[in-house]
Amino acid sequence: MAKAKTVYACTECGGASPKWQGQCPHCGAWNTLVESLAAPAPTRFESVAGVRSAVTPLASVTAQESERIPTGLSEFDRVLGGGLVAGGVALLGGDPGIGKSTLLLQASAALGATRKTLYVTGEESVEQVALRAQRLGLVQAPIELLAEVQLEAIVAAISGLAPEVVIVDSIQTVYTEALQSAPGSVAQVRECAAQLTRLAKKSGVVIVFVGHVTKEGALAGPRVLEHIVDTVLYFEGDPHSSFRLVRAIKNRFGAANELGVFAMTERGLRGVTNPSALFLSQHGAPVAGSVVTATLEGSRPLLVEVQALVDPVQGGTPRRLAVGLDPQRLALLLAVLHRHGGVDTGGYDVFVNAVGGVRIGEPAGDLAILLAVESSLKNRPLPEKSIVFGEVGLAGEVRPVQRGQERIREAVKLGFTTVFVPAANRPRQAIDGARVIAVQRVDEALAALREL
Ligand code: TYD
Ligand code: MG
């Protein structure tokens, strides 16, 4: 018998090397190469989809919108871009215990009413799934369960049952006999996901994988899964709060960066239709260091409270801590505040936090962070019902942000009355009941704040 060919695959980037080395030649990571069976020659996505590689003029191709299969959970459908797509493969990643199985069981129950749905559980027994269904009030849901971890058996079950939707919870537990490496290893996860994906493309079944996130925050089996599947969703949330966010990182069938918001209740996940209210903490009166900003999450504006605490250094070097935003960005903003606003925080510890476990990824929150720092430093709250957004440049300019009007509208809708915006985002028409403070520079914003 020919000896099976082995390669050394990097657990960080998935890159393969013919021999073991201390450093991955592809991504430069150290001690990440593990032995695995040589994967079959990489198949391009097109050939997986069964499309012949004939050359076709673009104009002669008739684009067809793929049919959407709504999951019945509107927030989940929003991140998916309207629902699951036949033949599409999605990956739902997240920390253990965040609610992946709960969400997918709820979605299966709703889907099962109209589509044959198979729930493959590799982590829990069917009894455990039934227990969860009982808790969710879904015992009567028309779902087929399969407790199985062997790929060949799962494929056989799918062929036999011919479901329209398959949930695989989780892909890390699935293994194939064809490989000797342990279940959960890079080679196993990659091979099993690739085979199931091929099956989905060939048969038109929808497959949703559950994937665990490693301690470092990467999907285990690492990034190899992300480019195999069509849609990558991440489940995130502060373990101490009941709110859960599902974020689309990649979506071949819809917008990436879309956000779905859920609350974990006693009886499962409930979609939150007005998420802006969530990320604002309830203060009886205005509080120094607290500023509300409007970020854009996918297609919708989201109001988020930024809190800063600026406190004299207790010996040693001043500390800078950012939760829910980039610490480098905070350092940069403090430098701008010093140089262009004349506000020196060198002798202070600066802590900044985005409330509610949300992450502010876009620079539109810059001005809010600056004003929060200034407000805490001077111990002077902003006027009640103020909202601030704008990107801050290194030259001290306040730059416009995209879709400023929508952000302002969302804020006004929620009762905000004072709006700090970049001059270029100033609304063309006055807004009823709102005072707009449009600024071009950081010092202008600080001066306006001091006059209020
Ligand atoms: P689960 O879906 O099992 O998480 P995952 O599959 O991502 O590991 O969710 C587990 C947590 O959710 C657990 O801590 C209990 C909680 N939970 C509720 O609060 N309410 C519910 O109705 C359910 C089913 C779970
Ligand atoms: Mg689970």
Side-chain angles (χ1 to χ4, degrees), residues 100-101 123-124 132 169 210 212:
K100 301 180 293 297
S101 305
E123 299 197 335
E124 297 166 307
R132 178 179 294 117
D169 186 0
V210 169
H212 287 293

Side-chain angles (χ1 to χ4, degrees), residues 10 12-13 22-32:
C10 172
E12 286 293 313
C13 69
Q23 187 180 24
C24 171
H26 302 280
C27 68
W30 288 92
N31 290 330
T32 54

